[in-house]
Structure formats: structure tokens, C-alpha cells
Amino acid sequence: MTGFRLDGRTALVTGASRGIGRAVAQTYAAAGADVALLARDETMLGYVAAEVEAHGRRAVVLPCDVTDAEAVHGAVAAALEAFGHLDVLVNNAGGNTFSMPLATMRFSGWEKTLRLNLDSIVHTTQAVLPHMLERRSGAIVNVASVAGLRGAPLMSHYGAAKAAVISLTQSVAVETAWAGVRVNALVPGWIETDLTGFLRDNEDAEKGTLSRVPMARWGRVEEIAEPALFLASDAASFMTGQVLVVDGGLSAMP
Ligand SMILES: NC(=O)c1ccc[n+]([C@@H]2O[C@H](COP(=O)([O-])OP(=O)(O)OC[C@H]3O[C@@H](n4cnc5c(N)ncnc54)[C@H](OP(=O)(O)O)[C@@H]3O)[C@@H](O)[C@H]2O)c1
């Protein structure tokens, strides 16, 4: 058997307007899924919707800020209305906009990062789970980061949020396994997206970053999207509460 397909399935991907989320949406559509696309930039979502539709699949555009719980519940309701059901939720929206030691960090910056990377996943998951539990089926993929696997100096806010995403993944996986709902974390290393552009803008920063990656290069968004397909598909049907690290060997370094 090869279960690496999503034919007839429906998925909601957050942060689908660019970067990893866009690649996940494209990959899921190529694997046979209809895809609901959630992010703030409606214009970009329109382009991604066209890419999904080019695969002969349906797309729903959901302009929404993931930190707004009410808006997220509305967006999930709109996706359910359009598709009738949701098989897959990919919690990908997230990121980090600043680096500094905790000693001088304003609490507002800490809170903003936690709201974007952690609270957002609570909102989407709470919106989708009643539906998945009732259907006794579903797969949730939470995008964390290698920054959540160990200390993340100057990014304690982001690292703590992503570590919490991993813990949340494990807790919810155990809470929902009885209903056939699977919840796994996908942990990217350094991937070439807008989020990491500032490192490529500075030769020394890029060199320093890649010097710690055994494969000595940036990951491509497709290299995260394919494992995200695995986790969502029946190929991972006996896998829940797990952490799949895709980082070119970074976390294997002593
Ligand atoms: N790139 C890496 O090296 C790397 C490494 C480890 C983990 N990750 C994680 O992978 C995920 C995707 O990162 P990426 O590299 O693809 O970043 P990216 O290129 O900056 O894309 C981020 C996506 O999240 C969306 N987003 C941001 N804030 C949002 C909000 N408040 N509401 C709704 N959507 C929002 C953005 O869309 P809009 O701006 O249109 O809202 C965009 O689609 C993030 O969770 C990130 O932490 C990335």
C-alpha cells in the first residue's frame, strides 16, 4: 500500500500565503486535496488559490489573522460550510520578528510572539476539533521549529513558543487518539523563506547559520511540504503525538 495521497480529502492550511504554507497547499492539492487557505494577505491567497485550482482541486480563501480567536472560528466555519468537512488542519502560520536577550525584552514582544506561534494553534485547534472528534477522523500537523528543541539564545520568546507547540501536540494527540484524530509536530530547521531572508542578506550571518547544518545548505519549502504530506496522509496512519524533525542534520550535531 502507498498512502501518500490525499484524494477526496479537505485541508485547512494557515500561513498559506507564502513560504512553507504555500508549498504545503500546493503539495496537498497535487496529492488530491481541496485546500482552504488562511492568512492575512488576501491578494497572495488569491494567487495560491489559483495554484491549487490548477491541480483541479477546490480552494477557499480565508483572509484572517490567526491571533484573533473570533475571526479564526469564523474562518473555520466558512471552510466547513464550503467543503462540508475537514480532514486535515496544518497549523503553520507563525514566525519571529526580533532577536534580543530576555533581560531587555519588553513583555509586549514576548506576548505578541506567543500569541502568533502558540495561542493561534489553540484557536484553530479548538475550532476544528469538535468537528473531527464527531467524525472520528482527522489529522493535525503543527509546525514547530528546531528553536523549540533546545535553548534558543536571543530568541527565547520564539523558542519557548515552539517548545510549547511540541508539548501541546503531544497532549492533544493523547486526548484525541480514541477518536482516530492524529496530531503530530513537524520541526523544520533553516528553510529558505521570507522569514530567514535577513540571514541571507548578511554574508557572515548566512555563513554562521549554515556552518552548523551538516548538509551545509538551506532547506527548500518543498522539503517541508512533503513531510507535511506524509503526516497528513494515511502513510502516517499509526503515528500520533510525534515530532518529525526535518533540518539537514542540524539537531544531530553534538
Ligand atoms: N523558515 C524557517 O527557517 C523556519 C524554521 C523553523 C520553523 N519555521 C516555521 O514555519 C512556519 C512558516 O514559516 P515560513 O518560513 O514559511 O514563514 P513566512 O514565509 O514568513 O510565512 C509566514 C506565513 O504565516 C502567515 N502569518 C503570519 N502572521 C499571521 C497572522 N497573524 N495571521 C495569519 N497568518 C499569519 C503569513 O501570511 P500573511 O502575512 O499573509 O498573514 C505567511 O503566510 C512558521 O510557523 C515558522 O515559525 C520556519
Side-chain angles (χ1 to χ4, degrees):
M1 120 181 175
T2 173
F4 288 84
R5 295 284 308 170
L6 293 174
D7 297 297
R9 308 275 170 92
T10 60
L12 191 159
V13 180
T14 73
S17 60
R18 52 198 159 86
I20 291 169
R22 181 181 191 165
V24 169
Q26 292 167 344
T27 301
Y28 281 14
D34 294 335
V35 191
L37 308 163
L38 189 153
R40 293 164 304 178
D41 187 336
E42 191 168 1
T43 306
M44 283 307 300
L45 288 180
Y47 294 132
V48 183
E51 292 165 355
V52 167
E53 286 161 359
H55 288 285
R57 306 313 316 171
R58 284 189 300 161
V60 178
V61 167
L62 303 169
C64 174
D65 185 331
V66 283
T67 64
D68 180 341
E70 203 178 317
V72 166
H73 280 262
V76 168
L80 284 169
E81 169 94 24
F83 290 157
H85 71 280
L86 272 176
D87 297 297
V88 180
L89 167 65
V90 181
N91 285 313
N92 163 77
N96 175 35
T97 51
F98 66 94
S99 303
M100 64 167 54
L102 185 73
T104 49
M105 193 183 297
R106 284 210 306 262
F107 189 66
S108 57
W110 172 275
E111 275 190 315
K112 199 173 165 200
T113 306
L114 271 283
R115 271 203 301 275
L116 174 59
N117 289 283
L118 178 61
D119 297 357
S120 64
I121 296 187
V122 176
H123 302 326
T124 50
T125 304
Q126 289 195 319
V128 166
L129 261 187
H131 168 75
M132 287 184 172
L133 293 175
E134 194 182 319
R135 290 188 77 225
R136 298 284 194 276
S137 163
I140 298 177
V141 179
N142 292 329
V143 179
S145 167
V146 286
L149 295 178
R150 53 189 182 214
L154 306 184
M155 294 200 297
S156 59
H157 50 320
Y158 181 67
K162 292 300 194 180
V165 168
I166 291 171
S167 174
L168 181 74
T169 298
Q170 293 165 329
S171 302
V172 178
V174 174
E175 289 174 5
T176 60
W178 63 272
V181 176
R182 299 185 299 101
V183 190
N184 290 290
L186 181 56
V187 173
W190 294 108
I191 309 301
E192 190 171 353
T193 67
D194 291 353
L195 186 64
T196 52
F198 72 103
L199 291 167
R200 283 181 299 281
D201 290 345
N202 175 325
E203 207 176 310
D204 287 343
E206 179 170 39
K207 228 168 138 187
T209 302
L210 297 184
S211 70
R212 301 190 350 265
V213 181
M215 290 182 76
R217 66 167 175 85
W218 294 95
R220 296 185 294 273
V221 288
E222 303 79 27
E223 292 174 311
I224 301 302
E226 293 283 339
L229 170 61
F230 164 64
L231 290 176
S233 74
D234 289 346
S237 56
F238 197 47
M239 192 168 164
T240 197
Q242 301 308 304
V243 180
L244 183 57
V245 182
V246 184
D247 66 354
L250 172 63
S251 58
M253 285 286 273

